[in-house]
Amino acid sequence: MNRQTAPLRAAALRRSWWMLACLAVGCGEVQPDGDTPPNTQVRQSRLAGPLEVTRVAAGAYHSVALRSDGEVWAWGRNSDGQLGRGAVSATPEASPHPVALPGPMTAVAAGAGHSLAIDALGHVWAWGRNNRGQAGSALTGGPVLTPVQVTLPAPAVSIAARADYSLAVDANGDVWAWGQNIDGELGQHAADTLAHHTPVKVQLPQATAQGNCTPVDPLDLYRIADIAAGGHHVLALTRTGCVWAWGRNDAAQIGTGTESSTPVLVPTLVRNIPRAKAVAAGESHSLLYDDEMNRIVWTWGLNTSGQVGRDYIATTPPLPRQVVRTPFLVNGSEAAGGGLAAGDDFSLFIMGYPTGNVRSWGANAFGQLGNGTQALRQTPEYALRTLTGPPYTMAVDATRQVAGGARHGLAVRHEQYEYANCPVVWSWGDNSQGQLGTGSLTPASSVHAQPGLPLRRYFPDADDDGFGDSSQPMYSCLTEVPAGYSEIEGDCDDTQGDVHPDAEEVCDGIDNNCNGDVDENGCGSFWYRDADGDGYGDPSNAIRSPTQPTGYVADATDCNDQSPNVHPGHAELCDNVDNNCDGQIDEGAGTRWYRDADGDGFGNPGVSVIACARPTGYVSNANDCNDSNAQIHPNRAEVCDNIDNNCNGQVDEGVGSRWYRDADGDGYGNASVSVIACARPTGYVSNANDCNDNNAQVYPGRAEVCDNIDNNCNGQVDEGVGTYWYRDADSDGLGNGNVYVLACGQPAGYVANADDCNDNNAGVGGVQQYFRDADGDGFGNPSNSMWACSRPAGYVQDFGDCNDNNAQVHPYRTEVCDGLDNNCNGMVDEYIGSTFYRDADGDGWGNGQAPIQSCFQPAGYVTNASDCNDSNPSIGQPTVWYLDQDGDGYGHGGHWQYACNQPAGYVANGSDCHDSNASINPGMPESCLDHIDNNCDGYIAPYCGWTPDPNPNPWPCPPGQSCQEP
């Protein structure tokens, strides 16, 4: 016999674990061996008491928790053995189970498909997926189903895991890494695709600290206090608050200030950050909170879902890949001293210290922010937990630690009320793999934080031997073992008080100590009397002997040792005898009859007898699918009641309403794909009006657009949209306004205008535009027109009238001084009237540089432009100056100019009669010898004698007469 071998081994491991736990954390007083009953020892060493959860870790789709007594629990996906159950399973585990570890643990971590823990001595234990060596086993071909120790040179103080690699920080401050190295995650200044099951020390290069994290001891720059594992990058926090980073950098997650297509293989210090207190890493983003007074969260890396806290995720056009290249201060993240964490593409922190409220931001399609919605958030919001009464929700408060998985979040609270002293984990987000630990896979996600099953189980102990039935656990917050239960599982027979894991094995044919072996202490065998020689012995007649006595056999199953035709295995006959010793008479002989408990004429296939005659309450068929309800049988008509009324294996088939597939989610169904159901199935609607169920933009009521598609499912394509086209029957390029079509493209024989006056005669042109001429001046109003084939009365073709109520106003009208725009050129009284000049100083003389045109003299203006200085009334009009070309001080009377100041080459008089000869001017004496008017008096010497008339022949004068001017 080999019963419950796996549970027994697990129980043995748990007993070994408990002994180490007692040594490490204390278990109360244990009675000494001796006369004390074993059961009493079991109970006193396993008394229930207050417990709480101290740490949680979130893998991609599984969760791990650490109780205050050092016991590790796990739940969720187990496809790679990451739950430590000793086997893999395609079925998720929605209920938490303890992990069989060799002692109390102090820390836990979780990767995509593996888990880690640190024991009280600093040993690291790993289990789960090992394809990259992440579980620390050299057998990298398959998963590690039970925890194995990962050898490190010094005790570990911190661990981290993500994806397919693992990290540990030892007591010396060194970082050790093992598993995948595709992007240089192991910190060896190189990358490869090999599996690395042996931990290697991360190689930190020589560097210089800057800013607030500069250590007093330079070596502290290389002593790591904590570590964070991202999807493919690593953050390491030094003891003085500096941060090292290495690995993948395609989203600037390393903090170098830029993204790169190749990984950062050599660890580098993150610059431009304050002194850090804690770090966390998501799939492609990084977080820290500073060690300053406000303890604010800083983030950098991928921000496509808002996980970095920047608000530009909704841009137009959208950015294909949004990154924050340098550390960014997250708004609303102050007082983040309680802790922080990162999921794949969302972020969490605890606002408050040492406990506080959970705040979250980033992706939220599965409710992983826990804020009651499934909409992403770019800035922190409170995660909420549900209440049974108003206000029905409140912040996840008193939180001590948070963790983020691929799409779910976990929190450890300081429980004070309904869960005080109860080891419970709060969870939210994706539950498709049972990672929320509620005991159920439904609902598939939760938008609010909810408590998981308590991490404490009691097992039914019907025989009161101190060990319970492992198959029926009760999860409970009770701090005392309930009556009829035990805190210890592993009983292989809960009906016998002397059969349990601590029992002594005796020679009785029973597995007394539940180790899967019977009488394994080497006692002799039992032999049973076979009087009738049929090979089967009488169980009431036995002897014990190391050798087989004559007339005895090892079997003890004969029920009649006086008849060789009666023994196990003999064919049953209809003879009213138990021929095969199974305690039944004539079973299997005759006809099989099926129980008809509800009397509907149809039998229960699960309850039958073989009898020679039909027993009362039995029928010959096994067609009933519910033998407790006479209204359910194969001949029953199906009705809508969520029951298989006619036992055909289907529920409510062929009844209810017909629902039509709505594959594109536009609210309209596909007439060719339908089901009949009592309630609307997901993805179905009640109408069958969709004409294209693969396009959410095609459905009845959809506005038709020009795309050669029947958008509104009315059987027409592009109807009612497009451009109006007009019939051009005479092909003169002009369309008939009375004959038109609406189309997306130009039909043959149609044009875009409706201007033809006669579409049957290409010689007759199109309509013309005429403008209303209300004042009859021959010019029309441009804002009042009509198209016509001939000019209507009161309309003209000229549209230049700017005032159709005044016949004296039109484009050809001469502008007059009347304050109107007579000629419709947009100007009033332009270019008419007089020019007036500004007389600012009021001296009656105007400024020639400041003229205006006006029909009336404005105040402050005069008609002349003669003022030499319009800001000084003592300076008036300019003086006339005459050109003096010969420089004799006399100017030419015909060459002058007005000027306020004497120009060069000009004089004040214009009396020179010969301005090209300086010897001729009014001041020169007259000469009798040159026949020239030397003094410009209009006379030429000589003049002889005393007569008033000039001598017509004056040269020379007669004797006795002098030459003189008249």
Side-chain angles (χ1 to χ4, degrees):
M1 182 167 64
N2 184 18
R3 298 178 292 175
Q4 301 184 357
T5 302
L8 294 177
R9 290 175 180 168
L13 281 173
R14 279 190 288 278
R15 289 197 296 276
S16 299
W17 172 87
W18 185 266
M19 294 173 65
L20 288 172
C22 290
L23 293 174
V25 300
C27 301
E29 182 179 355
V30 180
Q31 294 188 10
D33 293 337
D35 296 334
T36 304
N39 289 356
T40 304
Q41 288 188 10
V42 169
R43 287 187 176 280
Q44 290 189 350
S45 64
R46 292 165 173 80
L47 287 175
L51 287 172
E52 59 184 5
V53 176
T54 59
R55 301 294 296 174
V56 288
Y61 298 99
H62 76 288
S63 303
V64 183
L66 178 65
R67 283 195 332 195
S68 54
D69 60 355
E71 191 169 58
V72 176
W73 292 61
W75 58 95
R77 178 181 285 178
N78 195 38
S79 57
D80 294 290
Q82 56 263 56
L83 302 189
R85 300 292 305 281
V88 299
S89 173
T91 303
E93 292 279 358
S95 298
H97 290 272
V99 179
L101 286 158
M105 300 290 133
T106 61
V108 290
H114 72 291
S115 305
L116 305 176
I118 303 177
D119 67 22
L121 300 177
H123 300 145
V124 175
W125 298 83
W127 61 96
R129 187 190 299 167
N130 194 46
N131 61 319
R132 296 286 182 180
Q134 60 267 44
S137 171
L139 302 176
T140 58
V144 174
L145 300 181
T146 57
V148 297
Q149 183 178 340
V150 180
T151 302
L152 294 176
V157 296
S158 178
I159 50 177
R162 205 178 187 97
D164 291 328
Y165 69 102
S166 304
L167 303 164
V169 179
D170 68 20
N172 299 321
D174 292 326
V175 180
W176 298 84
W178 61 99
Q180 74 181 27
N181 194 38
I182 296 173
D183 289 282
E185 296 93 329
L186 305 190
Q188 300 303 298
H189 303 188
D192 57 65
T193 59
L194 303 177
H196 300 269
H197 66 274
T198 301
V200 292
K201 181 180 175 181
V202 171
Q203 301 300 311
L204 298 178
Q206 291 292 323
T208 302
Q210 296 179 358
N212 295 332
C213 76
T214 303
V216 175
D217 182 353
L219 292 179
D220 279 346
L221 189 61
Y222 307 97
R223 292 171 180 150
I224 304 303
D226 202 2
I227 198 80
H232 293 272
H233 72 290
V234 181
L235 302 179
L237 175 66
T238 72
R239 295 176 180 178
T240 58
C242 291
V243 177
W244 292 89
W246 62 91
R248 183 178 293 180
N249 194 39
D250 59 338
Q253 59 264 52
I254 298 301
T256 59
T258 183
E259 62 269 38
S260 58
S261 59
T262 58
V264 175
L265 299 178
V266 179
T268 181
L269 282 173
V270 180
R271 305 295 184 180
N272 303 318
I273 59 172
R275 184 172 64 248
K277 183 68 174 178
V279 292
E283 180 66 21
S284 297
H285 73 293
S286 304
L287 302 90
L288 64 83
Y289 71 78
D290 62 44
D291 197 19
E292 309 298 335
M293 180 182 298
N294 292 329
R295 294 195 173 182
I296 294 174
V297 176
W298 298 74
T299 59
W300 62 95
L302 187 64
N303 192 48
T304 304
S305 297
Q307 60 266 49
V308 175
R310 286 298 292 269
D311 57 0
Y312 57 69
I313 65 169
T315 62
T316 304
L319 296 176
R321 185 173 174 81
Q322 299 186 8
V323 297
V324 175
R325 296 177 176 84
T326 56
F328 167 75
L329 187 152
V330 178
N331 290 328
S333 66
E334 52 275 356
L340 75 168
D344 273 8
D345 50 3
F346 67 102
S347 305
L348 307 153
F349 78 91
I350 300 172
M351 189 174 72
Y353 181 84
T355 64
N357 298 337
V358 177
R359 303 196 73 183
S360 56
W361 66 98
N364 199 25
F366 295 86
Q368 56 262 54
L369 300 187
N371 64 349
T373 76
Q374 289 181 291
L376 62 81
R377 292 289 187 269
Q378 307 97 298
T379 54
E381 292 195 0
Y382 287 102
L384 304 174
R385 60 187 179 101
T386 57
L387 304 174
T388 56
Y392 297 107
T393 60
M394 68 176 294
V396 181
D397 59 346
T399 304
R400 296 188 297 189
Q401 191 230 333
V402 288
R407 303 183 305 208
H408 74 290
L410 304 174
V412 177
R413 297 180 63 240
H414 176 60
E415 304 293 349
Q416 304 177 63
Y417 302 106
E418 68 270 34
Y419 295 104
N421 300 320
C422 181
V424 67
V425 176
W426 293 77
S427 56
W428 59 93
D430 182 20
N431 192 40
S432 62
Q433 299 298 311
Q435 57 265 53
L436 300 190
T438 60
S440 174
L441 297 178
T442 57
S445 63
S446 175
V447 298
H448 292 105
Q450 56 184 339
L453 292 176
L455 304 188
R456 171 185 276 150
R457 299 181 300 175
Y458 297 110
F459 303 90
D461 186 13
D463 55 12
D464 199 33
D465 60 4
F467 292 87
D469 183 353
S470 304
S471 65
Q472 301 182 59
M474 176 180 73
Y475 291 83
S476 174
C477 286
L478 295 174
T479 57
E480 295 184 3
V481 180
Y485 282 82
S486 172
E487 200 176 18
I488 308 302
E489 62 179 315
D491 201 342
C492 54
D493 188 344
D494 202 34
T495 63
Q496 300 187 50
D498 57 353
V499 176
H500 53 76
D502 279 357
E504 180 183 354
E505 191 73 18
V506 296
C507 289
D508 58 358
I510 296 174
D511 179 14
N512 306 95
N513 59 8
C514 294
N515 69 349
D517 298 320
V518 177
D519 299 343
E520 67 270 20
N521 293 332
C523 59
S525 301
F526 284 95
W527 304 94
Y528 302 91
R529 184 74 174 110
D530 181 17
D532 56 10
D534 58 6
Y536 296 86
D538 181 355
S540 64
N541 187 351
I543 61 174
R544 192 171 189 179
S545 172
T547 59
Q548 181 176 3
T550 301
Y552 285 80
V553 293
D555 179 87
T557 59
D558 205 342
C559 57
N560 186 344
D561 201 34
Q562 305 301 316
S563 174
N565 294 319
V566 176
H567 57 76
H570 194 284
E572 194 72 20
L573 306 173
C574 279
D575 56 2
N576 202 32
V577 173
D578 180 10
N579 304 95
N580 56 8
C581 294
D582 63 354
Q584 304 178 62
I585 295 176
D586 296 344
E587 83 286 355
T591 302
R592 183 174 294 278
W593 305 92
Y594 299 90
R595 184 74 174 106
D596 181 16
D598 55 10
D600 59 4
F602 294 88
N604 181 354
V607 181
S608 65
V609 297
I610 295 178
C612 298
R614 182 173 73 86
T616 301
Y618 284 78
V619 293
S620 60
N621 71 80
N623 298 331
D624 208 341
C625 56
N626 187 338
D627 201 34
S628 61
N629 188 337
Q631 302 305 314
I632 298 176
H633 53 74
N635 291 342
R636 182 81 167 89
E638 194 72 17
V639 295
C640 272
D641 57 2
N642 202 31
I643 294 174
D644 180 11
N645 306 97
N646 57 8
C647 295
N648 67 348
Q650 303 178 61
V651 174
D652 298 342
E653 79 285 353
V655 294
S657 302
R658 183 172 293 279
W659 305 92
Y660 299 89
R661 184 74 174 105
D662 181 17
D664 56 11
D666 58 5
Y668 295 85
N670 183 350
S672 63
V673 180
S674 65
V675 296
I676 295 177
C678 296
R680 183 175 70 86
T682 301
Y684 285 76
V685 294
S686 59
N687 71 80
N689 300 331
D690 207 340
C691 55
N692 185 342
D693 201 34
N694 294 316
N695 189 338
Q697 304 304 315
V698 176
Y699 54 82
R702 178 82 166 89
E704 194 74 18
V705 295
C706 278
D707 57 2
N708 202 33
I709 294 174
D710 179 10
N711 305 95
N712 56 10
C713 294
N714 67 349
Q716 304 177 60
V717 174
D718 298 343
E719 80 287 351
V721 294
T723 302
Y724 281 100
W725 304 92
Y726 299 89
R727 184 72 175 108
D728 182 16
D730 53 10
S731 299
D732 59 0
L734 302 173
N736 184 349
N738 296 316
V739 181
Y740 55 87
V741 295
L742 186 65
C744 294
Q746 182 176 1
Y750 284 78
V751 293
N753 69 80
D755 297 338
D756 206 341
C757 290
N758 186 341
D759 200 34
N760 296 316
N761 187 342
V764 177
V767 296
Q768 299 184 52
Q769 188 175 13
Y770 295 92
F771 301 87
R772 182 72 173 110
D773 183 16
D775 55 9
D777 60 2
F779 295 90
N781 183 353
S783 62
N784 186 353
S785 66
M786 63 183 296
W787 293 84
C789 291
S790 60
R791 183 174 70 85
Y795 285 78
V796 294
Q797 285 190 296
D798 192 307
F799 56 87
D801 206 339
C802 57
N803 187 342
D804 201 35
N805 296 316
N806 188 340
Q808 303 305 315
V809 176
H810 54 72
Y812 290 166
R813 182 81 167 92
T814 301
E815 192 74 16
V816 296
C817 277
D818 57 1
L820 299 176
D821 179 11
N822 306 96
N823 57 6
C824 293
N825 68 347
M827 303 165 66
V828 176
D829 297 342
E830 76 281 359
Y831 311 125
I832 59 175
S834 302
T835 301
F836 296 91
Y837 302 90
R838 183 74 176 108
D839 181 15
D841 56 9
D843 59 0
W845 303 101
N847 183 353
Q849 303 302 316
I852 62 171
Q853 194 91 15
S854 176
C855 292
F856 308 97
Q857 180 175 352
Y861 284 79
V862 294
T863 58
N864 69 81
S866 302
D867 205 338
C868 289
N869 187 340
D870 200 35
S871 61
N872 189 339
S874 64
I875 300 176
Q877 63 180 343
T879 302
V880 178
W881 302 93
Y882 299 92
L883 180 64
D884 181 15
Q885 294 184 91
D886 55 11
D888 58 2
Y890 296 90
H892 192 304
H895 294 278
W896 53 272
Q897 64 171 286
Y898 278 96
C900 293
N901 298 304
Q902 181 177 359
Y906 281 78
V907 294
N909 70 83
S911 57
D912 204 340
C913 58
H914 200 303
D915 200 35
S916 62
N917 190 335
S919 300
I920 301 175
N921 58 62
M924 291 297 291
E926 188 71 24
S927 172
C928 292
L929 303 177
D930 54 10
H931 201 69
I932 295 173
D933 183 6
N934 304 95
N935 59 3
C936 295
D937 61 355
Y939 297 98
I940 300 173
Y943 179 74
C944 298
W946 297 102
T947 61
D949 296 326
N951 189 343
N953 296 300
W955 193 271
C957 287
Q961 294 184 356
S962 63
C963 178
Q964 56 182 331
E965 281 191 281

